[in-house]
Amino acid sequence: MTSARKPAQKIQAPLLLANIGQLLTLRCASGKPGPRRGTDLQELGIVKDGAVLCVGGKIVSVGTTRDALRDPWLKKNRRKVTEIDCAGKVVIPGFVDSHTHPVFIGPRLVDFEKRIEGASYEEIAAAGGGIRSSLEGIRKASRTALAAKIATVLSEMAAHGTTTVEAKSGYGLTADSELKSLEAIRVAASYWPGTVVATLLGAHVVPTEFQGCSQKYVEIVCKVMIPQAATRKLAQFVDVFCDQGAFTAKETEQIFEVAKNRGLSVRAHVGQLSETALAPFLRFAPASLDHMDHVNQDDISQLAKQNTVATLVPGANYFLGLKQYPNARRFIDAGVPVALATDYNPGTSPTLSMPMAMSLACTQMKMSPAEAVAASTINGAWALRVANRKGSIEPGKDADLAIFSVDDYREIPYWFGANHCVATVLNGTVASRE
Ligand SMILES: [Zn+2]
């Protein structure tokens, strides 16, 4: 990041997107409160030949181009308005990528090769690879260097249609380096016109120096990291990797309790490698439970009654070369709200592309393209507790939009591996690739 770069400006000229072939508003006719479940997950609220007017970073009107051009305010102020002729393209709410680990230094290419040769996640970790191999770089790096890395990732994400990102710490695993990671997220976020929601993932894995005495490490998380992150408002969420080889359900509850007392909301990585009973966590009203490859039916029925979102990250299954993916249909059919995220990280999911996550959701988890869109936008917003201002194109919400050069929204997951996002509007600021 150069010193000449200025923090993102918040005041924008009025902006009109017109001649949108398919405008996916994600407005839901059923009007049910809370995250989208069941058949509501397919409702995209499509307007043909649509238009969106944004003023001061907010959406002020949504409808057809014809109606927009008749608007008396627009007629009077047209010269002051920046117009984007979408020429039949598709416009959707900017993606809300609700699960990412962007604070790392380099790729993990040895792990990549070892896995191809047949080593398992646990074997790679036991050989000194995995999460622990990313620690040294973070511990040594300056906050400025980390912020520059994150800033690059955020602009790449915007280029793929993402306007809101959850960003976790979790590769430092000392109080100092976890807090430094959160500070770096804050610095990078201040230079990006989109929205970043920070999560403390001090409980990512037990660092080597605490092997065999994980409780001592949990105490550092509870007594230093969480209080500091809360007091300095460096994170909105606390996350725990609760799985075999990481933290136990008991330790997770202990960490959640402290987070709750400090006014931070919670989320967790669960069921990626083994099944964990989820019921004990529900009293903390987690915003999301993520991965969910291994879940029992009783927990699914419980989740269907909650606003906790099941965030599925098929990029990790793809990259690990797994044959099994989370059973999205089982969740959706039971009425559990489902979100999709990239899980962008150097070890198990090095992709920042939400269209790629959608494509995997469609082909490997049998989600329909419409469900994949809703899971990547409005339900991602629910998973971050920002659905009051993100995730759909409705008056009063933040002006977060993504323009795709396709004729039909189903082409977004269809053309896998290609980026058809041509421009993104982030809180009213236009970032164009053309
Ligand atoms: Zn993760």
Side-chain angles (χ1 to χ4, degrees), residues 210-415:
F210 290 93
Q211 287 286 290
C213 51
S214 61
Q215 190 54 38
K216 280 198 180 142
Y217 182 69
V218 171
E219 272 177 31
I220 296 173
V221 173
C222 292
K223 291 188 178 157
V224 188
M225 292 185 197
I226 296 175
Q228 288 265 348
T231 311
R232 297 174 55 201
K233 297 197 184 331
L234 286 169
Q236 286 98 308
F237 289 98
V238 169
D239 192 344
V240 179
F241 189 4
C242 173
D243 218 320
Q244 67 186 43
F247 293 87
T248 64
K250 258 211 142 49
E251 290 166 335
T252 304
E253 283 185 74
Q254 191 187 342
I255 294 165
F256 278 5
E257 194 74 59
V258 174
K260 196 181 122 198
N261 292 338
R262 290 285 176 165
L264 297 176
S265 303
V266 299
R267 55 195 333 113
H269 288 65
V270 291
Q272 182 183 9
L273 310 167
S274 61
E275 191 182 298
T276 310
L278 302 178
F281 303 146
L282 298 181
R283 70 186 166 102
F284 299 100
S288 71
L289 292 172
D290 302 27
H291 283 282
M292 308 282 265
D293 295 69
H294 307 278
V295 187
N296 74 55
Q297 190 55 46
D298 287 350
D299 283 335
I300 289 185
S301 317
Q302 286 301 312
L303 279 172
K305 297 176 197 153
Q306 314 271 331
N307 278 349
T308 297
V309 174
T311 301
L312 310 180
V313 291
N317 299 65
Y318 166 79
F319 193 72
L320 293 172
L322 304 181
K323 301 218 163 39
Q324 289 288 324
Y325 281 72
N327 195 335
R329 288 260 57 93
R330 196 169 153 221
F331 290 111
I332 295 168
D333 297 343
V336 177
V338 165
L340 286 171
T342 60
D343 192 14
Y344 176 69
N345 80 77
T348 61
S349 190
T351 180
L352 45 70
S353 165
M354 286 297 286
M356 185 67 198
M358 288 170 64
S359 190
L360 292 170
C362 294
T363 59
Q364 309 301 309
M365 305 199 300
K366 309 302 170 203
M367 287 173 69
S368 69
E371 289 171 335
V373 170
S376 303
T377 54
I378 188 68
N379 274 7
W382 276 102
L384 297 184
R385 303 241 165 105
V386 292
N388 57 333
R389 57 194 180 98
K390 307 281 182 192
S392 63
I393 303 175
E394 297 179 85
K397 285 208 173 182
D398 294 343
D400 288 345
L401 311 162
I403 306 171
F404 284 84
S405 64
V406 291
D407 298 322
D408 186 300
Y409 76 88
R410 291 171 293 187
E411 293 178 72
I412 299 170
Y414 176 91
W415 301 110

